[in-house]
Structure formats: structure tokens, C-alpha cells
Amino acid sequence: MKSQATTICCLILILATEYSQSRFHIRAKDGDKLQGPERKPKTGRIQEKCHGPCSTSSNCSQPCAQHFHGEIGFICNGNKWQKSTETCTSLSVETLFMDSNSASRLSVAAPSITLHILDYQTPEPIRSVAQGIQKNCPLDYACIINAVKSSEATSGNIAFIVELLKNISTDLSDNVTREKMKSYSKVANHILDPAVIPNWAFIPDKNVSSDLLQSVNWFARQLHIQNEPEHIVDEFFIQTKGFPINNNTSERSLRFSMSLNNTVEGILGIIEIPRQELWKLPPDASQAVGIAFPTLGAVLKEAHLENTRLPRLVNGLVLSVILPEKLEQILFTFEKINKSQNARAKCVGWHSRRRRWDENVCETKLDTKNRVQCRCNYTNVMMSFSILMSPISVDNKVLDYITCIGLSVSILSLILCLMIEATVWSRVVMTDISYMRHVCIVNIAVSLLTANVWFILGSNFNKKAQDYNWCVAVTFFSHFFYLCLFFWMLFKALLIIYGLLVVFRRMMKSRMMAIGFAIGYGCPLVIAATTVAITVPGKGYVRRGACWLNWDDTKALLAFAVPALVIVAVNLIVVLVVAVNTQRPSIGSSKSQDVAIILRISKNVAILTPLLGLTWGFGIATLIEGTSLIFHIIFALLNAFQGFFILLFGTIMDHKIRDALRMRMSSLKGQSRVAENASLSPTYGSKLMNR
């Protein structure tokens, strides 16, 4: 009997030893830190092909350290191997519930000393997380917390934990209590620690961060709160609060203050439900739940982001809100993480289906150095909101001075240009082609002058509180008149081709005028109106913080850039054609006057077209983040002095206009002398006396 008891005790000791060893597989050693993105595995020999020099774009992989499953991928960059992906994981469905299984195995032998070990039946294996939780901890999910928190937060384990939370929110969210929400958040908090944020970059599936946000929101949607406001979850990196609401509730708000790490002062985030929104609710009690994430914004990856050169950095808390479906608008206050003067903000909502930030659902009400106030639309696919840091704008006094002085010179130059044209008009429009040439100059000057006026209105307006409809109007007219400038330049080029190719038959002046105005104003109107019609319904016509065409979301700026650059190319081709054709002897002497006019037009087009093209070429270059200040200065100079260029190269440098001005001045001097002589004559004096 004694030997039998000894044997069973030994078996129990063996089982306990086996249990202790199995737990070692999911726990990091004491003193070990979380594995960062550049840290090599603690054990395991690097494969020869992943060691030493390498060729560009080649890749390789190596096994993970002991006690981990998966592999680490490397890619060659700059003749050196760099870590690219990692799937090392120590977690599995079995390890999550290993404590419970081992306890069951030990408890089988304890009640009876006569139980033969061969009679012991292994418990039925756990095939899913839901099954394991329902069996071991159906009330609070606490049975998985220790296994998760004791695991090393490698990239593979992060992906596993996100999938774990996703499965719980899908299969076990029928009746979410406060205890379940706390356990759920403890698991999520483990992978949102700033120390493990770098490891997210090596997860192969880039949708993992979006899955985490959507899973937490979906799980919180099923949460039932009591009759009083509740602080449900208060972890370091995820907080949840809620309160009951109905149509008689006064304006309510949820206030969060969370730190990015244990040393940084708390970052503020406030969710406010306006009173007029609460009126939409029925008398029956409803609830509002808010969730705050201080670190999740750093790992949220946008799917299908077209312009990857412009990173969209989150500059505040990510705030999720779960409301009744009847509520549509919410107010948010975000404190900025980066409080530099140039850190302007864009209010955005996370579109759970498109997996990207959407600027069209939010309106920026106030943007100061420290805080941003947003008004956002709430839907079932738009439950999370934050602020993005806009690409740093060049806020330099040099640019302000250049723009201010340049626009003043440009406007005065264009007014002077129109005055000169009015003065010499009758002397320089001797032929149909010369007539249309000066019509083009006048309309180019009028278009640019009007565009500059609208630009000034838009610039001054940006410094005040913005009204979206007024900003749309300013942008439309600026867009329209800048396009008119280019299309009248195009008509000048077509006029050159017409003068060169048409010999025996001339078009009537009225028809030429009709074609000119159709091209100069009709085409820009069609383009500008179409752009407005397509982009305004989705609020993608204007940029955030400026009354000008949108680039980040709808690429509405292409409706200006493409026509302008195409016209520049066409005009340069026309100039080359003129350079070739004017050397041929086939042009008769009877057309010598027209040829001289065509050559003057060609010189004008040859000078102005590159200037206009360079101006807006530098303008497009300034949209690229990190563009040197010199590009902004060149664009400001060329753009502000366009009116002066038109006066100089389109009017003053034309010798016909100079001759007409001299003749006009001479005639005026002659008239003044005649008047002076007449005033001194006796006859003139007697006439004055007789009046």
C-alpha cells in the first residue's frame, strides 16, 4: 500500500514538473525586455544567406528563437540585411488555457489514492477560443489574461492577440458586462504599450491595426451600462466610459486624459453630444459609450493610400464613440500631441470598410496651437475619430513679403497694360490678325487681374473663420480665371497657326471673336463647373485650411494642372512650327505685314508660355512634403509677378505699341501747344471777354 502511494505521488510530481515546463513556453524569462524591431533573436543561428553582404532587393528568412514558432524575414537594402517581417509566436489556443487543463489533470488523481494512472482520460482538447472561454471563464474572460500578459509581445504574438480579440467580439459579444469589457481591454492594453509599438511594423498583415480598432468598437457596442455614468475601463492605453441618454438628457460629454507613456503629461480628448441631437432620441433610455486610445494612432495603417509620400500622422487621441443610430453629429475636442506652430490639423473619421481616414465626414471648427475642435458625422462605419497633422506649411515672412509686393506690382502692371491698350488701340489693329492679337492681350490681362483679386479675397478670408460655401465660391472663380489665362494663351497659339496656314481665305472677324471667346471663357467654364459638380457633394473640392483646389482626397487640382501644362506643351510646339515655317521662301510679299505680326505674336508666346509653365510647375512641386524653401520662394516670385511679365513682354517690348505710344504722346503735345498758342492770341482773348 505504501509503495502504491509512493508511485502515485511520483506520478503527480512528474505531471507537476511537466506542467511547469509547459508554462515556460509562453512566459518570457525574468528580466527580458520586449523584443524591438531591430533586436536579434535571443537564440538560434542566423542562416548563412541572411548574414553578410547581399544584393539589392533579395530576401531571406531565418527561424525564430527557441520556444517560438514562425520565422523572421529579411530584405536587402543598401547591401545590408534589414528585418522586414516577423511571425514569431509563443501563443496558441492550447497555451491560453494551459493553466486550466493542467489543473484538471492534477485534480483527477487527488480525490482517490486507489486510482490507477492508466485509467486517466485526457480532457477533450479545446478547439477554439470561444469554446475555451465558455468552459473555463464564461463570466469575465479572466482565464486568458495571465497567458497573454506573460507572453512576449513579438510581432507574431501581437497578430495572434488581435485575432483572439476579433474572435471574442464575433462569437462572445451577446451580453457584454463591465467585467468582460475590463478583461477584454486588459488583453488589448498589452499590445498597445509604447514599448511594443515598433513591433507592429513587422506584422505581414497591414490590416491588423484596423481589425483591432473595429473589434474593440464592435465589442463595446454590445456593452450594457447601468443607470449612472460609469468609468468602465481605466487601463494605461485604453479607457472606456459611458452614460445613459434619452431625449430629455441635457448636453453630455465624455472627457479623457491619457498619457502616451508613463512620464508624459496627459493628452486631452473630449466627446460632446449636442442637445439638439439628443432631441432625436425616443423617451426610452439609450446609452453612449466612448473609448480613447493614446497610442493606436501610431500603428493604424491606411489601405490603398494613393499618395504614400505624404504620411498622414495622427496628432491626438483616437476617440471611438458608440451611439444610438438616430444621432448623427458629434463634437470633439482634441489636444495636439505635436504643438509646434506649423502643426495644423485635419479632423478625420476612420472608415472601417475602406480602412482609411476620411476628411469629408468632419469639419474643423477651431484650430489653435494646442487644441482642435471638430464637428463630425457619426455612422455605423464611421465610429472612430482623430486629428491628422497636415504637411508642414511654409510660414515664412519672406514669402508673405514677396507675395504682397509681387501682387501689388502685378495688379498695377495689368491696369497699366489695359490703359496702354486702350490708348493705342486704334493705331495697332490695322489687320484682322493684329486685332485678334490685342483682343488676346486684353483678355489675358483681364483674366489674370480678376484671378489676382479673387486670390487676395481667398488669402484674407483664410485668416478668418471659414465658411465652406464662400470658400467654394472663391476657389471656383480663382480656378476659372486662372484657366482663362491659359486658354487665351492657347488661342494666341491657334491664331499663329491660322495666320501661317490660311493663305487664300480669311475668316470673318466676328467668327474669330466667337471662337476666341468660346475657347478663352467657354472651355474654362466647362472644366471648372464639372469639377465643382463632381467634388462638392462629397466636400472634396477645396483644401483644408486654404481656399484652393483639393489635392489629398479628390485630386481636384488636376482639373487645373493638366489643362495648364497641356496648353504649355502645345504652345511650345507651335513656337517651334513658327521657327521652321518662317524660314521658308514660300511666304509671299503680299503677306509680309501678317508675317511680321505673326512673328511678334510668336515671340510673345515663346517668352510668356515658359514663364507660365515654370510658375505652375514650381507650384505643383511645392505640394510635395519636404520641398525646399527655395521652391516656395521661386513659385511666389513667378506667380506674383505674372502681371509684370505680361506688361513687359506682351506690351512694352512690342515696337508697334511703342511707336503708337510715341505718336500718341506727340499728338498730345502738339494739341497742347496749339491750345497754348490759341490762348495767347488776341482773338482768343477777345472771345473770352465777350462771354
Side-chain angles (χ1 to χ4, degrees), residues 454-527:
W454 280 106
F455 178 83
I456 292 172
L457 289 174
S459 299
N460 291 334
F461 180 66
N462 285 338
K463 299 176 183 178
K464 303 175 183 178
Q466 287 194 4
D467 178 80
Y468 180 76
N469 294 330
W470 172 245
C471 193
V472 167
V474 170
T475 304
F476 172 80
F477 285 111
S478 299
H479 182 202
F480 171 69
F481 283 108
Y482 277 126
L483 280 179
C484 291
L485 166 68
F486 280 93
F487 274 92
W488 276 108
M489 288 292 296
L490 174 64
F491 183 69
K492 287 185 72 173
L494 297 178
L495 194 64
I496 295 172
I497 295 296
Y498 171 77
L500 286 177
L501 301 181
V502 179
V503 179
F504 299 106
R505 183 182 176 185
R506 290 296 183 186
M507 190 183 300
M508 294 176 61
K509 187 186 296 185
S510 59
R511 183 174 296 179
M512 292 176 67
M513 287 284 288
I515 294 174
F517 278 85
I519 293 174
Y521 293 114
C523 293
L525 182 61
V526 171
I527 294 173

Side-chain angles (χ1 to χ4, degrees), residues 565 568 608-620 634-635 638:
L565 296 180
V568 168
L608 286 179
T609 296
L611 283 173
L612 294 175
L614 280 174
T615 297
W616 293 101
F618 279 108
I620 294 174
I634 293 173
F635 173 64
L638 293 174

Side-chain angles (χ1 to χ4, degrees), residues 12 58 81 247 284 300 320 329 376 383 385 401 513 517 607 641 666 680 682:
I12 293 175
S58 59
W81 290 112
N247 59 357
D284 300 339
L300 271 176
S320 293
Q329 286 196 334
C376 299
M383 302 166 61
F385 304 88
Y401 290 140
M513 287 284 288
F517 278 85
I607 294 172
F641 287 95
S666 298
L680 295 175

